[in-house]
Amino acid sequence: MFQTMRWFGPEDPVSLADIRQSGCAGVVTALHHLAPGEIWTTTEISKRKKIIEDSGMDWPVIESLPVHEDIKRKNGSYKKYIDHYKQSLRNISQCGIPVVVYNFMPILDWIRTDIRFPMPDTSLALRFERLAFISFDLFLLKRPGAEKDYTEKERLASGIFLKSMTKEARELLYRNVLLGLPGTKEPFTEKQILEALKTYEGIGPNELQQNLMEFLQNVVPVAEEVGIKLAIHPDDPPNPVLGLPRIVSTEKNIMELLNKVPSPANGLCFCTGSLGARADNDLVGMIQRLGDRIHFLHLRNTRRDGEGNFYEADHLDGDTDMYAVVKEIILLMRRKGKAIPMRPDHGHQMLDDTNKSTYPGYSAIGRLRGLAELRGLELGINRSL
């Protein structure tokens, strides 16, 4: 696999030199200083690319080129923003970057209720606790109509859960859930979230899926024309949140969107963490069936239970059989005759990184550990085949 790490740009506490020392051949990044919907110019892209190449690495994947909320809702200036997206793809192609990741999750990106969940070895992981999230939704955010999304048992249990929390714990839960998007520093406010949720009234999974298909029907031909592979990232967590539909959570979801726009340019960012948080996703089988459309890999592991809770486990220790996954990826790459870009995702905060301020899941040493484990696993499998 072509080994990379995510880098959030010149202000990232984890420097390009740090990533280079980890043994990575490249980084995946984005122009986080540009607002969603802005056109990425060749000047801005080339400036960022030169910084990366001067560090001795490549930029094989853009993560991510954001999809404006107007496009997801199919309202407002969505046609203008689709045109901007197409122009950005043309400019990205001129700069020689072959893969573009995006997601179609409304408003929020990935969500966790605890960003410092203590592991047995005292490192810190990311965790999603469903009861904590329900408590946030019902009693802290006080989303109108939220009670309809939960059973009576869940509502009662969440009320008891909230009463057991200190004021400080409630404030921490609130901040954790409303973290800003990756690459940003500002968390969402209650007002921002509640106002944004109103804009999705009347948009269910069918409507959101139709909007995604219209977006793809517009941008995929451009991507195919200029030689770019689009890779959609699955939903995280892979189920509806805050009353918002999520439509890229299962193999059936993914197969449908790939089949409806049957172009090699319409592909997938295969995230073993997002997909692995659901027990009904057969990851090895998905690689076998979707492999030709997998353009980028996020390798991480989760440990889940039957209540909808999960935490980020060590890369080789979770519910996902990472040996079987990496072996299938190696077989896929041999069939394709080329390496697929990958990155270790959501490492634990550990060693002296516990005292540093980085975006949750993206401290250096935890990701380095994950990369080293995955690198060794790949080498061992390759030697055994």
Side-chain angles (χ1 to χ4, degrees), residues 101-288:
V101 174
Y102 69 101
N103 75 67
F104 220 75
M105 290 179 270
I107 304 174
L108 297 168
D109 205 289
W110 58 266
I111 296 173
R112 299 293 184 270
T113 57
D114 190 346
I115 62 174
R116 293 176 64 86
F117 178 63
M119 299 292 288
D121 63 3
T122 71
S123 63
L124 304 173
L126 304 177
R127 183 172 189 248
F128 180 85
E129 184 177 3
R130 180 167 168 77
L131 200 55
F133 183 79
I134 296 173
S135 299
F136 162 81
D137 194 8
L138 290 175
F139 305 114
L140 301 182
L141 183 64
K142 298 178 182 178
R143 174 172 64 91
E147 64 280 354
K148 295 182 294 185
D149 292 339
Y150 307 112
T151 65
E152 182 179 1
K153 181 180 177 181
E154 287 175 326
R155 294 194 297 269
L156 291 172
S158 65
I160 295 170
F161 180 89
L162 189 77
K163 288 179 181 178
S164 72
M165 299 178 71
T166 64
K167 178 182 178 182
E168 292 74 17
R170 294 181 188 188
E171 291 174 350
L172 182 60
L173 172 62
Y174 196 92
R175 292 197 302 271
N176 288 343
V177 175
L178 294 185
L179 276 175
L181 300 176
T184 64
K185 295 180 179 179
E186 295 300 320
F188 290 104
T189 65
E190 176 183 334
K191 181 181 179 182
Q192 286 174 323
I193 287 295
L194 291 176
E195 288 182 352
L197 289 173
K198 286 181 183 178
T199 68
Y200 275 88
E201 289 179 356
I203 299 178
N206 291 335
E207 290 77 14
L208 188 64
Q209 185 183 56
Q210 290 170 6
N211 297 347
L212 170 58
M213 293 308 163
E214 180 166 336
F215 168 70
L216 290 174
Q217 287 162 358
N218 275 276
V219 301
V220 167
V222 174
E224 188 170 351
E225 175 191 339
V226 300
I228 279 179
K229 306 292 188 186
L230 291 170
I232 192 167
H233 189 288
D235 303 326
D236 185 9
N239 45 57
V241 292
L242 300 181
L244 297 167
R246 290 198 161 188
I247 56 170
V248 191
S249 299
T250 66
E251 180 176 358
K252 181 181 178 182
N253 296 154
I254 295 166
M255 192 71 79
E256 189 167 2
L257 76 90
L258 297 181
N259 287 341
K260 285 194 174 181
V261 186
S263 165
N266 179 28
L268 173 65
C269 170
F270 191 77
C271 179
T272 58
S274 298
L275 296 169
R278 286 183 65 125
D280 57 348
N281 280 330
D282 170 18
L283 299 191
V284 172
M286 291 175 75
I287 297 169
Q288 294 168 344

